[in-house]
Amino acid sequence: MSKRNEWKFWQDDRERRGREGHIGMFGAAGIVVVVIIVILNNYFNGNTSSTEALPSGKAMEQHTKQQVNNDSYTAFVDRETVHNGTGLKVNTATVSKDEAGKQSLKVNISVNGIGQSGYNMVTFAEGQLVNADNKSTIQTKLHGFTEPGMRSVDETFSLDEAYDIAQGQNYLLQMKDLYLIQRSEASLPESVRAGHSYTVQAPQPTPIQIEQMVWSNHKEKLTIVYRVDREQSIAGVSPGTLNLKDDMNGLIAHAKQGDQTIELISLNRESKDNAITQQFAVPASLNDQQREHIRLSLEYGKVVRQIKGTWTVSFELDEDQP
């Protein structure tokens, strides 16, 4: 190779290497820039996506609900006490707070040692929750066990503003006097009329006074206002003994036309004058004669067994319990 050609070869080679060097350098720099842009884009999108996806009000509502949920938790208690051969067990205790900040403690309990037949409802006469640390006490109206097998029931204690639930607090659940009840129904006479009194032949005669029977909505809704001697609605129990929240005893349990059940759509009890108002949705397919002969049934209860005494279960409100 001549010197001239050799010089040109090295010059061309040096220029080629220089171009490749510049391309490599700018290529690497370009990749770095792209990566930075992607990272920044993801960062800003990640920070703003939640508020862009929801209007500001929705985002605030979602945040508030998360705060409320953070105030709720369940302690697994698993503590039991036995009295007269019957056990009362506290399974769980759930703390909750509503959006207004009001706290409640829902205690899931179960009973055992009472057999499996001869009754269809079990209830304690009284229930209270005692804070063993500050000695404050909260009463509650009881639901009672109506689940098959009487396995468990939730009893909720709503707390006033001055009462504050916190982990580590010690509680006593106290339940008094257990009743086993057989609930049944007794039919009222056919074609009852407003302004008349009837006597239901339950285990003991129970009078019921029909105050009003009003048809509305093209005779597709029936409103019945009546009074019943609720003191006799649970045979074998003196008035005011059972503290039941949703007691169906002494209420019209069913309205029927033949084999067809008329749906109950509302229920209201006026404690001041003992008046009860129930509304039923009547099928449009019924004719006037069928509407005139809707049969009503009154629910009542009979105590088949009483277990006297007080059951007390102590537990600590701790998520890691027992």
Side-chain angles (χ1 to χ4, degrees), residues 42 79-80 93 208 218 289 321-322:
N42 289 340
R79 300 287 174 83
E80 184 177 19
I208 175 172
H218 305 289
Q289 184 178 5
Q321 208 173 241

Coordinates of all heavy atoms in Angstrom, one line a residue, residues 42 79-80 93 208 218 289 321-322:
N42 N -44.1 8.1 35.4 CA -44.8 7.2 36.3 C -45.0 7.7 37.7 O -46.0 7.5 38.3 CB -44.0 5.9 36.4 CG -44.1 5.1 35.1 OD1 -45.0 5.3 34.3 ND2 -43.1 4.2 34.9
R79 N -63.5 -17.5 75.3 CA -63.6 -17.7 76.7 C -65.0 -18.2 77.1 O -66.0 -17.7 76.5 CB -63.3 -16.4 77.4 CG -62.0 -15.8 77.2 CD -60.8 -16.5 77.9 NE -59.5 -16.1 77.5 CZ -58.9 -15.0 78.0 NH1 -59.5 -14.3 79.0 NH2 -57.7 -14.7 77.6
E80 N -65.1 -19.1 78.1 CA -66.4 -19.7 78.4 C -66.5 -19.8 79.9 O -65.5 -19.9 80.7 CB -66.5 -21.1 77.8 CG -67.8 -21.8 78.0 CD -67.9 -23.1 77.3 OE1 -66.8 -23.7 77.0 OE2 -69.0 -23.6 77.1
A93 N -65.1 -10.4 69.9 CA -65.6 -9.1 70.2 C -65.1 -8.1 69.1 O -63.9 -8.0 68.9 CB -65.1 -8.7 71.6
I208 N -107.0 -9.3 71.4 CA -106.4 -8.4 70.4 C -107.5 -7.5 69.9 O -108.6 -8.0 69.5 CB -105.7 -9.2 69.2 CG1 -105.3 -8.2 68.2 CG2 -106.7 -10.3 68.6 CD1 -104.4 -8.9 67.1
H218 N -104.8 0.9 45.2 CA -105.6 0.0 44.4 C -105.8 -1.3 45.1 O -105.8 -2.4 44.4 CB -105.1 -0.1 43.0 CG -104.9 1.2 42.3 ND1 -105.9 2.0 41.9 CD2 -103.8 1.8 41.9 CE1 -105.5 3.1 41.3 NE2 -104.1 3.0 41.3
Q289 N -113.3 -10.8 46.9 CA -113.7 -11.8 47.8 C -112.6 -12.4 48.6 O -112.6 -12.6 49.8 CB -114.5 -12.9 47.1 CG -115.1 -13.9 48.1 CD -115.9 -14.9 47.4 OE1 -116.0 -14.9 46.1 NE2 -116.6 -15.8 48.1
Q321 N -55.6 -12.0 71.3 CA -56.2 -12.9 72.2 C -56.6 -14.2 71.5 O -57.0 -14.1 70.3 CB -57.3 -12.2 72.9 CG -57.6 -12.7 74.3 CD -58.6 -11.9 75.1 OE1 -58.3 -11.3 76.1 NE2 -59.8 -11.9 74.5
P322 N -56.7 -15.4 72.1 CA -56.3 -15.6 73.5 C -54.8 -15.9 73.6 O -54.1 -16.1 72.6 CB -57.1 -16.9 73.8 CG -57.2 -17.6 72.4 CD -57.3 -16.5 71.4

